[in-house]
PDB file of all heavy atoms in Angstrom:
ATOM      1  N   GLN A   3     -13.733  33.972  -5.062  1.00  0.00           N
ATOM      2  CA  GLN A   3     -14.307  34.841  -6.082  1.00  0.00           C
ATOM      3  C   GLN A   3     -13.734  34.497  -7.444  1.00  0.00           C
ATOM      4  O   GLN A   3     -14.439  34.431  -8.426  1.00  0.00           O
ATOM      5  CB  GLN A   3     -13.982  36.291  -5.753  1.00  0.00           C
ATOM      6  CG  GLN A   3     -14.962  36.866  -4.742  1.00  0.00           C
ATOM      7  CD  GLN A   3     -14.641  38.286  -4.395  1.00  0.00           C
ATOM      8  OE1 GLN A   3     -13.514  38.724  -4.605  1.00  0.00           O
ATOM      9  NE2 GLN A   3     -15.598  38.977  -3.865  1.00  0.00           N
ATOM     10  N   GLU A   4     -12.393  34.242  -7.488  1.00  0.00           N
ATOM     11  CA  GLU A   4     -11.767  33.917  -8.764  1.00  0.00           C
ATOM     12  C   GLU A   4     -12.352  32.634  -9.328  1.00  0.00           C
ATOM     13  O   GLU A   4     -12.614  32.520 -10.509  1.00  0.00           O
ATOM     14  CB  GLU A   4     -10.265  33.722  -8.579  1.00  0.00           C
ATOM     15  CG  GLU A   4      -9.524  35.032  -8.449  1.00  0.00           C
ATOM     16  CD  GLU A   4      -8.079  34.808  -8.083  1.00  0.00           C
ATOM     17  OE1 GLU A   4      -7.601  33.676  -8.230  1.00  0.00           O
ATOM     18  OE2 GLU A   4      -7.444  35.767  -7.651  1.00  0.00           O
ATOM     19  N   THR A   5     -12.581  31.649  -8.449  1.00  0.00           N
ATOM     20  CA  THR A   5     -13.099  30.364  -8.907  1.00  0.00           C
ATOM     21  C   THR A   5     -14.479  30.536  -9.523  1.00  0.00           C
ATOM     22  O   THR A   5     -14.750  30.038 -10.598  1.00  0.00           O
ATOM     23  CB  THR A   5     -13.164  29.382  -7.727  1.00  0.00           C
ATOM     24  OG1 THR A   5     -11.878  29.302  -7.167  1.00  0.00           O
ATOM     25  CG2 THR A   5     -13.616  28.027  -8.181  1.00  0.00           C
ATOM     26  N   SER A   6     -15.359  31.284  -8.827  1.00  0.00           N
ATOM     27  CA  SER A   6     -16.688  31.388  -9.386  1.00  0.00           C
ATOM     28  C   SER A   6     -16.682  32.165 -10.680  1.00  0.00           C
ATOM     29  O   SER A   6     -17.446  31.887 -11.586  1.00  0.00           O
ATOM     30  CB  SER A   6     -17.669  31.988  -8.397  1.00  0.00           C
ATOM     31  OG  SER A   6     -17.047  32.790  -7.487  1.00  0.00           O
ATOM     32  N   ARG A   7     -15.760  33.123 -10.781  1.00  0.00           N
ATOM     33  CA  ARG A   7     -15.690  33.873 -12.025  1.00  0.00           C
ATOM     34  C   ARG A   7     -15.249  32.947 -13.165  1.00  0.00           C
ATOM     35  O   ARG A   7     -15.802  32.949 -14.253  1.00  0.00           O
ATOM     36  CB  ARG A   7     -14.690  35.020 -11.868  1.00  0.00           C
ATOM     37  CG  ARG A   7     -14.580  35.860 -13.112  1.00  0.00           C
ATOM     38  CD  ARG A   7     -13.741  37.104 -12.858  1.00  0.00           C
ATOM     39  NE  ARG A   7     -13.490  37.784 -14.109  1.00  0.00           N
ATOM     40  CZ  ARG A   7     -12.460  37.518 -14.871  1.00  0.00           C
ATOM     41  NH1 ARG A   7     -11.600  36.600 -14.530  1.00  0.00           N
ATOM     42  NH2 ARG A   7     -12.292  38.160 -16.005  1.00  0.00           N
ATOM     43  N   ARG A   8     -14.255  32.087 -12.859  1.00  0.00           N
ATOM     44  CA  ARG A   8     -13.759  31.183 -13.879  1.00  0.00           C
ATOM     45  C   ARG A   8     -14.853  30.216 -14.301  1.00  0.00           C
ATOM     46  O   ARG A   8     -15.061  29.959 -15.475  1.00  0.00           O
ATOM     47  CB  ARG A   8     -12.546  30.423 -13.332  1.00  0.00           C
ATOM     48  CG  ARG A   8     -11.823  29.604 -14.356  1.00  0.00           C
ATOM     49  CD  ARG A   8     -10.518  29.077 -13.803  1.00  0.00           C
ATOM     50  NE  ARG A   8     -10.696  28.341 -12.589  1.00  0.00           N
ATOM     51  CZ  ARG A   8     -10.277  28.772 -11.402  1.00  0.00           C
ATOM     52  NH1 ARG A   8      -9.652  29.908 -11.274  1.00  0.00           N
ATOM     53  NH2 ARG A   8     -10.482  28.049 -10.323  1.00  0.00           N
ATOM     54  N   GLU A   9     -15.577  29.673 -13.287  1.00  0.00           N
ATOM     55  CA  GLU A   9     -16.649  28.736 -13.616  1.00  0.00           C
ATOM     56  C   GLU A   9     -17.724  29.422 -14.437  1.00  0.00           C
ATOM     57  O   GLU A   9     -18.257  28.858 -15.374  1.00  0.00           O
ATOM     58  CB  GLU A   9     -17.254  28.175 -12.321  1.00  0.00           C
ATOM     59  CG  GLU A   9     -16.337  27.206 -11.631  1.00  0.00           C
ATOM     60  CD  GLU A   9     -16.864  26.773 -10.289  1.00  0.00           C
ATOM     61  OE1 GLU A   9     -17.812  27.392  -9.810  1.00  0.00           O
ATOM     62  OE2 GLU A   9     -16.312  25.814  -9.749  1.00  0.00           O
ATOM     63  N   PHE A  10     -17.992  30.656 -14.083  1.00  0.00           N
ATOM     64  CA  PHE A  10     -18.992  31.400 -14.812  1.00  0.00           C
ATOM     65  C   PHE A  10     -18.564  31.573 -16.264  1.00  0.00           C
ATOM     66  O   PHE A  10     -19.320  31.358 -17.197  1.00  0.00           O
ATOM     67  CB  PHE A  10     -19.200  32.766 -14.149  1.00  0.00           C
ATOM     68  CG  PHE A  10     -20.150  33.639 -14.893  1.00  0.00           C
ATOM     69  CD1 PHE A  10     -21.509  33.420 -14.818  1.00  0.00           C
ATOM     70  CD2 PHE A  10     -19.672  34.661 -15.689  1.00  0.00           C
ATOM     71  CE1 PHE A  10     -22.393  34.214 -15.521  1.00  0.00           C
ATOM     72  CE2 PHE A  10     -20.549  35.459 -16.389  1.00  0.00           C
ATOM     73  CZ  PHE A  10     -21.917  35.246 -16.309  1.00  0.00           C
ATOM     74  N   LEU A  11     -17.273  31.930 -16.457  1.00  0.00           N
ATOM     75  CA  LEU A  11     -16.786  32.124 -17.814  1.00  0.00           C
ATOM     76  C   LEU A  11     -16.823  30.814 -18.593  1.00  0.00           C
ATOM     77  O   LEU A  11     -17.170  30.791 -19.766  1.00  0.00           O
ATOM     78  CB  LEU A  11     -15.351  32.666 -17.790  1.00  0.00           C
ATOM     79  CG  LEU A  11     -15.228  34.118 -17.332  1.00  0.00           C
ATOM     80  CD1 LEU A  11     -13.769  34.505 -17.224  1.00  0.00           C
ATOM     81  CD2 LEU A  11     -15.945  35.051 -18.289  1.00  0.00           C
ATOM     82  N   THR A  12     -16.483  29.696 -17.917  1.00  0.00           N
ATOM     83  CA  THR A  12     -16.500  28.407 -18.604  1.00  0.00           C
ATOM     84  C   THR A  12     -17.900  28.077 -19.074  1.00  0.00           C
ATOM     85  O   THR A  12     -18.108  27.653 -20.199  1.00  0.00           O
ATOM     86  CB  THR A  12     -15.994  27.295 -17.668  1.00  0.00           C
ATOM     87  OG1 THR A  12     -14.771  27.718 -17.104  1.00  0.00           O
ATOM     88  CG2 THR A  12     -15.816  26.004 -18.415  1.00  0.00           C
ATOM     89  N   ALA A  13     -18.878  28.298 -18.181  1.00  0.00           N
ATOM     90  CA  ALA A  13     -20.267  28.038 -18.561  1.00  0.00           C
ATOM     91  C   ALA A  13     -20.646  28.908 -19.742  1.00  0.00           C
ATOM     92  O   ALA A  13     -21.302  28.478 -20.680  1.00  0.00           O
ATOM     93  CB  ALA A  13     -21.176  28.311 -17.373  1.00  0.00           C
ATOM     94  N   GLY A  14     -20.189  30.156 -19.696  1.00  0.00           N
ATOM     95  CA  GLY A  14     -20.512  31.090 -20.758  1.00  0.00           C
ATOM     96  C   GLY A  14     -19.947  30.644 -22.083  1.00  0.00           C
ATOM     97  O   GLY A  14     -20.622  30.670 -23.109  1.00  0.00           O
ATOM     98  N   ILE A  15     -18.692  30.200 -22.061  1.00  0.00           N
ATOM     99  CA  ILE A  15     -18.050  29.759 -23.300  1.00  0.00           C
ATOM    100  C   ILE A  15     -18.794  28.577 -23.886  1.00  0.00           C
ATOM    101  O   ILE A  15     -19.072  28.517 -25.067  1.00  0.00           O
ATOM    102  CB  ILE A  15     -16.575  29.395 -23.036  1.00  0.00           C
ATOM    103  CG1 ILE A  15     -15.802  30.673 -22.728  1.00  0.00           C
ATOM    104  CG2 ILE A  15     -15.968  28.677 -24.214  1.00  0.00           C
ATOM    105  CD1 ILE A  15     -14.453  30.435 -22.082  1.00  0.00           C
ATOM    106  N   LEU A  16     -19.175  27.611 -23.005  1.00  0.00           N
ATOM    107  CA  LEU A  16     -19.869  26.429 -23.503  1.00  0.00           C
ATOM    108  C   LEU A  16     -21.208  26.800 -24.108  1.00  0.00           C
ATOM    109  O   LEU A  16     -21.595  26.297 -25.158  1.00  0.00           O
ATOM    110  CB  LEU A  16     -20.068  25.421 -22.377  1.00  0.00           C
ATOM    111  CG  LEU A  16     -18.808  24.658 -21.988  1.00  0.00           C
ATOM    112  CD1 LEU A  16     -19.126  23.696 -20.871  1.00  0.00           C
ATOM    113  CD2 LEU A  16     -18.222  23.919 -23.177  1.00  0.00           C
ATOM    114  N   ALA A  17     -21.923  27.691 -23.444  1.00  0.00           N
ATOM    115  CA  ALA A  17     -23.204  28.122 -23.981  1.00  0.00           C
ATOM    116  C   ALA A  17     -22.988  28.808 -25.318  1.00  0.00           C
ATOM    117  O   ALA A  17     -23.736  28.624 -26.268  1.00  0.00           O
ATOM    118  CB  ALA A  17     -23.890  29.067 -23.000  1.00  0.00           C
ATOM    119  N   GLY A  18     -21.891  29.589 -25.402  1.00  0.00           N
ATOM    120  CA  GLY A  18     -21.588  30.288 -26.635  1.00  0.00           C
ATOM    121  C   GLY A  18     -21.279  29.321 -27.750  1.00  0.00           C
ATOM    122  O   GLY A  18     -21.743  29.490 -28.882  1.00  0.00           O
ATOM    123  N   VAL A  19     -20.508  28.269 -27.442  1.00  0.00           N
ATOM    124  CA  VAL A  19     -20.173  27.260 -28.452  1.00  0.00           C
ATOM    125  C   VAL A  19     -21.447  26.610 -28.968  1.00  0.00           C
ATOM    126  O   VAL A  19     -21.655  26.461 -30.167  1.00  0.00           O
ATOM    127  CB  VAL A  19     -19.229  26.197 -27.853  1.00  0.00           C
ATOM    128  CG1 VAL A  19     -19.098  25.024 -28.783  1.00  0.00           C
ATOM    129  CG2 VAL A  19     -17.867  26.809 -27.570  1.00  0.00           C
ATOM    130  N   ALA A  20     -22.327  26.232 -28.020  1.00  0.00           N
ATOM    131  CA  ALA A  20     -23.564  25.560 -28.416  1.00  0.00           C
ATOM    132  C   ALA A  20     -24.407  26.452 -29.307  1.00  0.00           C
ATOM    133  O   ALA A  20     -24.927  26.023 -30.339  1.00  0.00           O
ATOM    134  CB  ALA A  20     -24.355  25.180 -27.170  1.00  0.00           C
ATOM    135  N   ALA A  21     -24.517  27.709 -28.934  1.00  0.00           N
ATOM    136  CA  ALA A  21     -25.360  28.601 -29.713  1.00  0.00           C
ATOM    137  C   ALA A  21     -24.721  28.905 -31.053  1.00  0.00           C
ATOM    138  O   ALA A  21     -25.384  28.989 -32.070  1.00  0.00           O
ATOM    139  CB  ALA A  21     -25.581  29.889 -28.921  1.00  0.00           C
ATOM    140  N   GLY A  22     -23.383  29.043 -31.063  1.00  0.00           N
ATOM    141  CA  GLY A  22     -22.705  29.463 -32.276  1.00  0.00           C
ATOM    142  C   GLY A  22     -22.639  28.379 -33.318  1.00  0.00           C
ATOM    143  O   GLY A  22     -22.557  28.656 -34.503  1.00  0.00           O
ATOM    144  N   CYS A  23     -22.680  27.099 -32.942  1.00  0.00           N
ATOM    145  CA  CYS A  23     -22.513  26.047 -33.937  1.00  0.00           C
ATOM    146  C   CYS A  23     -23.857  25.577 -34.489  1.00  0.00           C
ATOM    147  O   CYS A  23     -23.900  24.657 -35.299  1.00  0.00           O
ATOM    148  CB  CYS A  23     -21.730  24.869 -33.363  1.00  0.00           C
ATOM    149  SG  CYS A  23     -22.611  24.024 -32.055  1.00  0.00           S
TER     150      CYS A  23
END
Side-chain angles (χ1 to χ4, degrees):
Q3 277 179 340
E4 283 172 16
T5 304
S6 26
R7 181 172 172 271
R8 188 170 55 249
E9 288 174 348
F10 176 77
L11 288 175
T12 310
I15 291 164
L16 285 180
V19 169
C23 66

